[in-house]
Amino acid sequence: MRNLQLSLNQTQKIRLQSALEKLESLSSKSNANSVVTVADSILIYEEGILKGHGTLDRKGELVATVCGVVERINKLIYVRSLRSRYKPETGDIVIGRVMEVAQKRWKLELNFTQDATLMLSSMNLPDGIQRRQTAVDELNMRSIFTENDLVCAEVRSSHNDGSLQLQARNQKYGKLEKGQLLTVNPYLVKRRKLHFHHLEQYGINLIIGCNGFIWVGEHVEVTDKMAVDQANDSEQQIGKCDQNSMDIDGPDGTFTPLKTRQNICRIANAVRVLSALGFSITMEVIMETVNFSKTMNLDIHEMLGSEFYVLVAESEAERRSATKRKR
C-alpha cells in the first residue's frame, strides 16, 4: 500500500482513504489480541509452551522481537511477520526461472536470497518412465529446460546454509508456456492445500506460487509423451510434402485463441490490482475481482485505471463489513 502510485483526483483520494481506513479498523478489531510490536508481552495461557520464531524469554516473560501476528500451534508460540521475504518450507509450490544449466542440475531463481537447485534425478523425464538417469539424459538436459525457462516445482528440502532442493516428479510440474508471469510480495500469498487451479470457464491454468510468483496461462492437457511421439513419427511421411510451408502457429504447431489471451490478460490485471492494494492473493478473491470488472463492463485495459482500484477497495470493505455483521 505504501508503494501505491496512482493519478487520483481529490474525490478518488478521499474515497480510497476512507475504504482503506475502514479495512484497517476491521482488521485491527479482529486481531486486537494477537497483533504485537517489538518488546510487547505475549499472553501465555498454559505451562510448558515452546518459544518459536520472533519470541524471547525475558525475566520469565515472553516478549516479541518482531512486529506481526501471534500464531499458536499446540504449545508452539511464534510471531508471523506481516511484511517479510519468502521463507521456504518443505512442500511449498514455487515457480522459478532457470538461470543456469549445470552438471546434472538446474539453477533456478525463486525470489529468494539464493538460487534453488533442481537435480536431474528429481525430475520427471519427458518419456514419463520412472528409471535411472543416464549419461544420455545429462547430455539432453537443455532439451528439457534451458536458460530463462519458467518452471513449476515443489520444495523438497532446505538446508541450514539457506540452499534449497527442488523436485518435479509429477506431471503437473514442469515447464510453463503460453501465459504471463506476475510477481507479488510473498507475504500476500498464504499457504493453502491447493495452489493449482484450472479455470474451466476461461480455459486458464492459475498457479499461485508460495514465493510470490504467479502464473496465468493457457490450460494444457497432460498427455502421454510416448504416445504423442509415436503419433508424430507416423505422420512424418505425410508432413514431408508441406516442409516448405510456413509455420504461423508457433514451434509446437498450436495456436492460442484470442479469447483465451484476453482471459489471461483480464485475470493478470486482477492480480496486479489486488497486489497494489495489498490484499491477500487467493483464487476466490481473484475471480471476484474478474467478475466485478465484467459486471462494470470494463475493458481489460480499464482495469488498471484509478477508478477501478477505488471500486475494488470499496467493494472489499463492504464485503468484510457484511461478513462481520453476519457473525
Side-chain angles (χ1 to χ4, degrees), residues 21-260:
E21 288 178 352
K22 187 175 182 179
L23 288 170
E24 185 176 358
S25 63
L26 292 172
S27 177
S28 61
K29 289 179 181 178
S30 60
N31 297 324
N33 297 327
S34 59
V35 176
V36 293
T37 59
V38 177
D40 280 355
S41 298
I42 300 176
L43 298 179
I44 301 176
Y45 302 104
E46 58 183 339
E47 297 293 334
I49 59 98
L50 300 176
K51 299 183 292 295
H53 173 75
T55 62
L56 178 67
D57 189 358
R58 186 180 63 182
K59 297 180 180 180
E61 183 183 16
L62 191 64
V63 298
T65 58
V66 296
C67 299
V69 179
V70 178
E71 300 284 354
R72 303 172 189 268
I73 303 177
N74 296 330
K75 290 191 175 183
L76 175 65
I77 299 179
Y78 68 96
V79 179
R80 174 174 56 85
S81 301
L82 295 179
R83 294 178 180 269
S84 60
R85 302 193 65 171
Y86 171 59
K87 296 178 182 178
E89 294 183 7
T90 301
D92 280 356
I93 304 299
V94 295
I95 299 173
R97 186 181 295 276
V98 177
M99 305 302 296
E100 179 185 355
V101 182
Q103 184 178 11
K104 296 184 179 180
R105 71 196 67 194
W106 293 272
K107 294 287 186 179
L108 275 68
E109 194 272 322
L110 292 183
N111 196 23
F112 184 53
T113 54
Q114 297 185 29
D115 290 343
T117 301
L118 175 61
M119 300 296 296
L120 178 61
S121 58
S122 301
M123 180 65 199
N124 189 32
L125 295 177
D127 54 17
I129 301 176
Q130 297 295 330
R131 57 177 175 80
R132 293 177 63 89
Q133 281 73 15
T134 63
V136 177
D137 296 322
E138 185 176 352
L139 292 175
N140 294 330
M141 284 179 60
R142 289 186 180 273
S143 65
I144 304 175
F145 302 135
T146 187
E147 286 84 353
N148 292 322
D149 281 350
L150 294 175
V151 179
C152 179
E154 178 183 340
V155 176
R156 180 181 180 182
S157 61
S158 59
H159 302 283
N160 294 331
D161 59 356
S163 60
L164 291 180
Q165 295 285 339
L166 305 179
Q167 64 180 2
R169 295 186 178 275
N170 196 305
Q171 290 289 346
K172 64 182 179 181
Y173 303 122
K175 186 176 179 180
L176 301 176
E177 297 178 299
K178 300 180 181 179
Q180 291 189 28
L181 177 69
L182 305 167
T183 303
V184 303
N185 290 318
Y187 66 84
L188 296 177
V189 179
K190 309 303 180 185
R191 290 180 174 87
R192 311 184 74 181
K193 292 183 179 180
L194 186 62
H195 286 262
F196 293 89
H197 304 282
H198 175 206
L199 309 178
E200 297 184 7
Q201 67 272 33
Y202 299 108
I204 299 298
N205 281 342
L206 174 65
I207 305 176
I208 304 177
C210 295
N211 59 331
F213 286 167
I214 298 178
W215 174 258
V216 185
E218 181 184 5
H219 175 67
V220 179
E221 293 289 345
V222 178
T223 57
D224 188 346
K225 297 281 186 178
M226 296 185 65
V228 173
D229 292 340
Q230 292 176 1
N232 292 337
D233 292 339
S234 63
E235 295 175 358
Q236 281 183 352
Q237 298 297 328
I238 301 176
K240 284 184 178 179
C241 60
D242 296 330
Q243 282 183 343
N244 296 328
S245 63
M246 183 176 296
D247 184 8
I248 62 174
D249 294 337
D252 56 354
T254 59
F255 177 75
T256 303
L258 176 61
K259 187 64 176 178
T260 302

Side-chain angles (χ1 to χ4, degrees), residues 266-281:
R266 184 174 292 274
I267 295 174
N269 283 350
V271 175
R272 293 185 178 97
V273 171
L274 295 172
S275 174
L277 292 173
F279 295 163
S280 296
I281 307 295

